[in-house]
Amino acid sequence: MHASVPLITTLAAAFGLALLLGFVAARLKMPALVGYLLAGIAIGPATPGFVADVDIAGQLAEVGVMLLMFGVGLHFSVQDLLSVRRIALPGAVVQMAVATAMGTGLAAAWGWSIASGLVFGLALSVASTVVLLKALERQGQVESVNGRIAVGWLVVEDLAMVIVLVLLPPLAGLAGGQAPGGAGLGWALVRTLLEVAAFVALMLIVGRRVFPWLLWQVTRTGSRELFTLCVVAAAVSIAYGSAQLFGVSFALGAFFAGMVLRESQFSHRAAEETLPLRDAFAVLFFVSVGMLFEPRVLIDEPLKVLAVVAVIVLGKSLAALGLVLLLRYPLNTALTVSAGLAQIGEFSFILAGLGVALKLLPPEGQSLILAGSLISIALNPLVFSAIEPALRWARRHSALARKLERSDDPLAELPVSTDRRLLANQVVLVGHGRVGRRIALALKANAIAFIVADQNRELVERLRADGQAAVLGNAVEPETLVQAHIADARMLVIATPQTVEVRQMIETARALNPRIEVALRSHNEEEAALLEREAASRVFFGEGELARAMTDHVLARVAAAR
């Protein structure tokens, strides 16, 4: 019976055991994904008893990756990615080079060839976008500045890995003494760059017009099923087509599909409709990772596994931490990016498999990569949860940390030439994203003085170039609010999407200006009520404000008709 229905058998075993072990992990105060990974090990070929179909599980996991990346694309615009290019592009490239060097060094110490070391190091250098996104979702930081930087960083890594996977076969010929010729290698690189450029251009020029129009036509039918089908079909079909026609990964194809559908007015509904599917299939990704794991490597090569985990969790993270600080971003941004990179996933598996097939990487290397991936993925939620306690401790006890959080960056201080009329009775606007930008436009249209505080370096530079007073920094830090002249401000408006640090922002502001009025946003009704009660502030809850505005409109129209 099992042999005749492998898809159903694999789904039933994966979902059932993932639910059970995920629940147990959650009750033990551990991340649920640890249970998902253990479920994969239990039904994998390396453990006795029932064995699910590894190939089917892997393909189902790819669907999960597509839907998850599609959902992220629905929340990101081209401008969001371009706004972090000055940190994501150089940061990702240098960090990959450093991690590759560390992996190559380990391989050399074990007596492997240089070619094996390079493949091994590259596999350790690229983080899993799926794992990062799940961590950012748990922290409520997907749409934050730090979240955008981390996602942009991994998009650059994914693009780099697409090029690596295309170039590896001709390079393998060179390493084995069967060089295909410089023209062959050069043409492979040129062709890959042209294909990626053509895909991006097609999506941004044609896709941004066609797919929102298609979604509108389907919406006009009034069928919820057709709407959901259209969204899922767009995500999976574009991802598959991009991989087949342009050689980019499923994940990147789905990400760009989400970005172009974001132009539609129904993008939020699309995100909500696909959320259950994204969550369910994302579980299968972690189960499939567990199925690939060979537990015996922990017994046969414990020191090598430990060294691999150290490179992934410590080496890569420290390299990223230093790079972000070197690019003059605050410490909390550096810690978020470094925590997001402290794991490896899907691209590492693909590269390891290709390396073994090309006889560049020994099978032992693939086992070590899989072991390092599973352990680093299991540890990643703990790494993320340590960020806030580490920041609080550092701010309290370390002068160096406080200096790194602020640094001597000129953008962290208002210029001496700032108009004095902006420095008294003004509004301090924290965050200049989609909500903050609209508030800023309204303030400017009504000639109300305001100062923007934001953690996005490129954004602050652009605002200053446009003549807008802006300061770079985290509004949790007193120095940032002091630079925004909070002591003389009439109101503090917190327009950032994350609410993790809101209470601390309000406490800091009221310590400097006890009479200041505070307005902020929230994502759910319970949180809004709690913040209004605890922080004595005006809290705007999205659905509540929408309902209030629609009610006012209806009542006004009815009253006018009487």
Side-chain angles (χ1 to χ4, degrees):
M1 181 66 178
H2 288 168
S4 62
V5 284
L7 174 60
I8 296 175
T9 305
T10 300
L11 280 173
F15 280 137
L17 202 54
L19 171 63
L20 176 63
L21 295 181
F23 176 76
V24 171
R27 292 301 299 267
L28 294 174
K29 307 298 182 185
M30 298 171 64
L33 68 82
V34 173
Y36 307 154
L37 293 169
L38 291 175
I41 295 174
I43 62 175
T47 52
F50 169 75
V51 177
D53 192 306
V54 177
D55 292 333
I56 287 179
Q59 291 184 45
L60 292 171
E62 285 285 9
V63 175
V65 172
M66 293 179 198
L67 293 175
L68 192 61
M69 290 300 293
F70 175 76
V72 174
L74 285 172
H75 293 93
F76 273 73
S77 65
V78 178
Q79 288 73 26
D80 289 333
L81 286 181
L82 292 178
S83 70
V84 299
R85 68 188 183 281
R86 288 173 57 185
I87 178 175
L89 185 58
V93 172
V94 175
Q95 175 263 315
M96 287 183 71
V98 172
T100 300
M102 287 189 285
T104 304
L106 266 185
W110 296 334
W112 296 3
S113 68
I114 295 296
S116 297
L118 286 172
V119 174
F120 185 70
L122 281 167
L124 301 185
S125 71
V126 59
S128 167
T129 311
V130 177
V131 177
L132 170 72
L133 291 174
K134 298 303 289 184
L136 291 175
E137 284 177 0
R138 282 192 298 270
Q139 301 289 323
Q141 292 196 54
V142 173
E143 296 185 50
S144 68
V145 173
N146 293 345
R148 287 199 296 271
I149 291 172
V151 171
W153 192 299
L154 261 66
V155 167
V156 174
E157 286 193 353
D158 287 355
L159 286 169
M161 288 306 296
V162 168
I163 296 173
V164 168
L165 291 173
V166 171
L167 294 181
L168 198 58
L171 286 173
L174 290 173
Q178 300 173 359
L185 182 60
W187 169 241
L189 177 59
V190 171
R191 185 187 63 197
T192 302
L193 293 176
L194 288 174
E195 287 177 342
V196 171
F199 168 70
V200 173
L202 183 67
M203 295 301 293
L204 297 183
I205 297 172
V206 179
R208 291 174 77 176
R209 291 169 174 81
V210 172
F211 295 115
W213 174 84
L214 177 63
L215 197 60
W216 165 246
Q217 297 303 317
V218 171
T219 305
R220 291 176 62 186
T221 66
S223 170
R224 180 177 177 179
E225 292 82 1
L226 278 178
F227 181 88
T228 304
L229 180 61
C230 178
V231 172
V232 174
V236 177
S237 301
I238 294 173
Y240 177 78
S242 63
Q244 294 298 312
L245 299 176
F246 299 99
V248 303
S249 67
F250 290 138
L252 274 177
F255 177 76
F256 276 96
M259 283 183 64
V260 298
L261 279 179
R262 185 182 181 277
E263 303 296 323
S264 168
Q265 59 184 308
F266 303 106
S267 60
H268 290 291
R269 180 184 169 189
E272 291 175 2
E273 295 282 348
T274 57
L275 182 60
L277 276 175
R278 294 204 312 266
D279 287 343
F281 278 92
V283 169
L284 292 177
F285 168 79
F286 295 105
V287 173
S288 70
V289 172
M291 291 176 69
L292 295 172
F293 179 59
E294 173 56 72
R296 187 163 185 82
V297 73
L298 299 176
I299 300 171
D300 295 341
E301 302 287 357
L303 295 180
K304 288 184 179 180
V305 171
L306 192 61
V308 170
V309 173
V311 168
I312 298 169
V313 177
L314 295 177
K316 282 174 59 181
S317 298
L318 291 175
L321 183 75
L323 284 167
V324 176
L325 293 175
L326 192 64
L327 292 169
R328 307 184 82 171
Y329 276 77
L331 183 60
N332 69 333
T333 300
L335 288 173
T336 300
V337 172
S338 60
L341 295 173
Q343 42 80 21
I344 59 173
E346 56 272 19
F347 266 117
S348 302
F349 309 151
I350 296 170
L351 183 60
L354 182 60
V356 171
L358 295 172
K359 304 201 181 303
L360 285 176
L361 184 70
E364 178 192 5
Q366 186 176 30
S367 298
L368 290 171
I369 288 168
L370 290 171
S373 172
L374 185 138
I375 295 170
S376 64
I377 289 174
L379 291 176
N380 198 246
L382 304 178
V383 175
F384 260 96
S385 64
I387 292 176
E388 282 305 315
L391 268 177
R392 285 196 297 269
W393 183 90
R395 287 165 178 163
R396 237 182 251 119
H397 300 95
S398 172
L400 176 61
R402 289 192 292 273
K403 179 175 175 59
L404 289 172
E405 189 70 19
R406 288 290 302 165
S407 78
D408 56 353
D409 194 331
L411 291 179
E413 300 178 359
L414 284 177
V416 178
S417 59
T418 302
D419 191 337
R420 304 304 298 177
R421 289 174 295 182
L422 297 175
L423 307 182
N425 209 31
Q426 84 283 12
V427 173
V428 175
L429 176 60
V430 178
H432 198 271
R434 287 190 289 273
V435 174
R437 186 163 54 246
R438 287 175 170 81
I439 295 172
L441 288 172
L443 292 174
K444 189 173 291 186
N446 288 275
I448 298 173
F450 66 99
I451 298 174
V452 175
D454 201 286
Q455 296 183 71
N456 189 324
R457 184 180 189 83
E458 288 76 14
L459 173 63
V460 172
E461 288 177 343
R462 188 167 66 249
L463 287 173
R464 289 196 180 183
D466 293 340
Q468 172 60 50
V471 60
L472 176 69
N474 187 348
V476 168
E477 291 299 309
E479 293 89 344
T480 300
L481 293 178
V482 166
Q483 283 300 317
H485 288 251
I486 195 73
D488 301 314
R490 72 166 83 171
M491 179 178 285
L492 171 67
V493 179
I494 303 174
T496 55
Q498 72 271 29
T499 56
V500 178
E501 297 179 325
V502 161
R503 290 177 179 81
Q504 196 172 346
M505 289 182 191
I506 297 172
E507 289 174 7
T508 303
R510 288 198 168 134
L512 297 168
N513 183 349
R515 297 181 303 278
I516 195 166
E517 185 179 349
V518 180
L520 58 130
R521 59 185 285 200
S522 175
H523 287 295
N524 64 73
E525 195 168 4
E526 294 78 12
E527 184 182 58
L530 185 63
L531 284 169
E532 280 195 339
R533 195 165 55 249
E534 291 183 353
S537 307
R538 178 72 168 90
V539 183
F540 293 87
F541 164 54
E543 291 178 6
E545 295 307 312
L546 177 61
R548 187 177 293 113
M550 292 180 71
T551 301
D552 290 344
H553 173 75
V554 171
L555 294 177
R557 296 292 292 176
V558 170
R562 285 176 178 171

